[in-house]
mmCIF file of all heavy atoms in Angstrom:
data_model
loop_
_atom_site.group_PDB
_atom_site.id
_atom_site.type_symbol
_atom_site.label_atom_id
_atom_site.label_comp_id
_atom_site.label_asym_id
_atom_site.label_seq_id
_atom_site.Cartn_x
_atom_site.Cartn_y
_atom_site.Cartn_z
ATOM 1 N N LYS A 204 30.749 127.648 57.965
ATOM 2 C CA LYS A 204 29.542 127.973 57.197
ATOM 3 C C LYS A 204 29.852 128.287 55.734
ATOM 4 O O LYS A 204 28.922 128.552 54.960
ATOM 5 C CB LYS A 204 28.790 129.122 57.865
ATOM 6 C CG LYS A 204 28.134 128.703 59.175
ATOM 7 C CD LYS A 204 27.206 129.754 59.741
ATOM 8 C CE LYS A 204 26.534 129.271 61.017
ATOM 9 N NZ LYS A 204 25.651 130.307 61.615
ATOM 10 N N VAL A 207 29.186 124.166 54.860
ATOM 11 C CA VAL A 207 27.902 123.549 55.196
ATOM 12 C C VAL A 207 26.999 124.611 55.810
ATOM 13 O O VAL A 207 27.459 125.647 56.283
ATOM 14 C CB VAL A 207 28.048 122.373 56.201
ATOM 15 C CG1 VAL A 207 28.815 121.230 55.587
ATOM 16 C CG2 VAL A 207 28.692 122.832 57.498
ATOM 17 N N SER A 208 25.702 124.318 55.821
ATOM 18 C CA SER A 208 24.751 125.223 56.465
ATOM 19 C C SER A 208 24.360 124.662 57.825
ATOM 20 O O SER A 208 24.325 123.436 58.023
ATOM 21 C CB SER A 208 23.500 125.404 55.609
ATOM 22 O OG SER A 208 22.691 124.244 55.654
ATOM 23 N N GLU A 209 24.064 125.560 58.735
ATOM 24 C CA GLU A 209 23.651 125.117 60.064
ATOM 25 C C GLU A 209 22.315 124.392 59.994
ATOM 26 O O GLU A 209 22.052 123.472 60.783
ATOM 27 C CB GLU A 209 23.569 126.304 61.013
ATOM 28 C CG GLU A 209 23.404 125.905 62.470
ATOM 29 C CD GLU A 209 23.755 127.014 63.430
ATOM 30 O OE1 GLU A 209 23.816 128.184 63.002
ATOM 31 O OE2 GLU A 209 23.972 126.714 64.616
ATOM 32 N N ASP A 210 21.470 124.760 59.052
ATOM 33 C CA ASP A 210 20.178 124.082 58.906
ATOM 34 C C ASP A 210 20.372 122.606 58.576
ATOM 35 O O ASP A 210 19.660 121.738 59.100
ATOM 36 C CB ASP A 210 19.338 124.754 57.816
ATOM 37 C CG ASP A 210 18.781 126.104 58.259
ATOM 38 O OD1 ASP A 210 18.772 126.367 59.478
ATOM 39 O OD2 ASP A 210 18.383 126.897 57.383
ATOM 40 N N ASP A 211 21.338 122.308 57.685
ATOM 41 C CA ASP A 211 21.597 120.914 57.336
ATOM 42 C C ASP A 211 22.152 120.133 58.522
ATOM 43 O O ASP A 211 21.874 118.935 58.684
ATOM 44 C CB ASP A 211 22.576 120.841 56.156
ATOM 45 C CG ASP A 211 21.898 121.138 54.828
ATOM 46 O OD1 ASP A 211 20.648 121.173 54.780
ATOM 47 O OD2 ASP A 211 22.619 121.344 53.826
ATOM 48 N N VAL A 212 22.941 120.806 59.333
ATOM 49 C CA VAL A 212 23.462 120.146 60.531
ATOM 50 C C VAL A 212 22.321 119.841 61.490
ATOM 51 O O VAL A 212 22.200 118.727 62.017
ATOM 52 C CB VAL A 212 24.533 121.023 61.211
ATOM 53 C CG1 VAL A 212 24.955 120.412 62.553
ATOM 54 C CG2 VAL A 212 25.758 121.179 60.306
ATOM 55 N N LYS A 213 21.451 120.820 61.723
ATOM 56 C CA LYS A 213 20.323 120.623 62.635
ATOM 57 C C LYS A 213 19.369 119.550 62.119
ATOM 58 O O LYS A 213 18.738 118.837 62.900
ATOM 59 C CB LYS A 213 19.575 121.935 62.827
ATOM 60 C CG LYS A 213 20.355 122.963 63.648
ATOM 61 C CD LYS A 213 19.573 124.261 63.797
ATOM 62 C CE LYS A 213 20.317 125.262 64.664
ATOM 63 N NZ LYS A 213 19.578 126.558 64.780
ATOM 64 N N ALA A 214 19.279 119.444 60.785
ATOM 65 C CA ALA A 214 18.384 118.443 60.188
ATOM 66 C C ALA A 214 18.997 117.051 60.181
ATOM 67 O O ALA A 214 18.344 116.088 59.762
ATOM 68 C CB ALA A 214 18.022 118.863 58.764
ATOM 69 N N LEU A 275 30.778 129.541 63.504
ATOM 70 C CA LEU A 275 30.930 128.346 64.328
ATOM 71 C C LEU A 275 29.608 127.587 64.354
ATOM 72 O O LEU A 275 28.556 128.176 64.578
ATOM 73 C CB LEU A 275 31.331 128.725 65.758
ATOM 74 C CG LEU A 275 31.386 127.584 66.786
ATOM 75 C CD1 LEU A 275 32.398 126.526 66.377
ATOM 76 C CD2 LEU A 275 31.702 128.129 68.173
ATOM 77 N N ILE A 276 29.679 126.296 64.097
ATOM 78 C CA ILE A 276 28.541 125.399 64.295
ATOM 79 C C ILE A 276 28.957 124.394 65.363
ATOM 80 O O ILE A 276 29.966 123.703 65.207
ATOM 81 C CB ILE A 276 28.158 124.664 62.992
ATOM 82 C CG1 ILE A 276 27.742 125.667 61.908
ATOM 83 C CG2 ILE A 276 27.029 123.672 63.252
ATOM 84 C CD1 ILE A 276 27.430 125.031 60.563
ATOM 85 N N PRO A 277 28.231 124.301 66.454
ATOM 86 C CA PRO A 277 28.625 123.388 67.529
ATOM 87 C C PRO A 277 28.667 121.942 67.052
ATOM 88 O O PRO A 277 27.910 121.544 66.159
ATOM 89 C CB PRO A 277 27.523 123.585 68.582
ATOM 90 C CG PRO A 277 26.976 124.940 68.299
ATOM 91 C CD PRO A 277 27.048 125.098 66.804
ATOM 92 N N ASP A 557 27.998 134.033 65.789
ATOM 93 C CA ASP A 557 28.130 132.618 66.112
ATOM 94 C C ASP A 557 28.952 132.396 67.371
ATOM 95 O O ASP A 557 28.598 131.595 68.236
ATOM 96 C CB ASP A 557 28.786 131.865 64.951
ATOM 97 C CG ASP A 557 27.822 131.628 63.811
ATOM 98 O OD1 ASP A 557 26.610 131.799 64.005
ATOM 99 O OD2 ASP A 557 28.288 131.282 62.712
ATOM 100 N N ARG A 560 27.149 133.759 70.490
ATOM 101 C CA ARG A 560 26.044 132.886 70.872
ATOM 102 C C ARG A 560 26.535 131.663 71.634
ATOM 103 O O ARG A 560 25.847 131.134 72.508
ATOM 104 C CB ARG A 560 25.288 132.450 69.613
ATOM 105 C CG ARG A 560 24.036 131.628 69.881
ATOM 106 C CD ARG A 560 23.326 131.300 68.582
ATOM 107 N NE ARG A 560 24.193 130.578 67.668
ATOM 108 C CZ ARG A 560 23.880 130.291 66.411
ATOM 109 N NH1 ARG A 560 22.726 130.706 65.913
ATOM 110 N NH2 ARG A 560 24.709 129.621 65.647
#
Side-chain angles (χ1 to χ4, degrees):
K204 289 189 178 178
V207 295
S208 73
E209 191 162 17
D210 287 343
D211 282 348
V212 173
K213 289 179 177 178
L275 174 60
I276 299 176
D557 284 346
R560 185 177 58 187

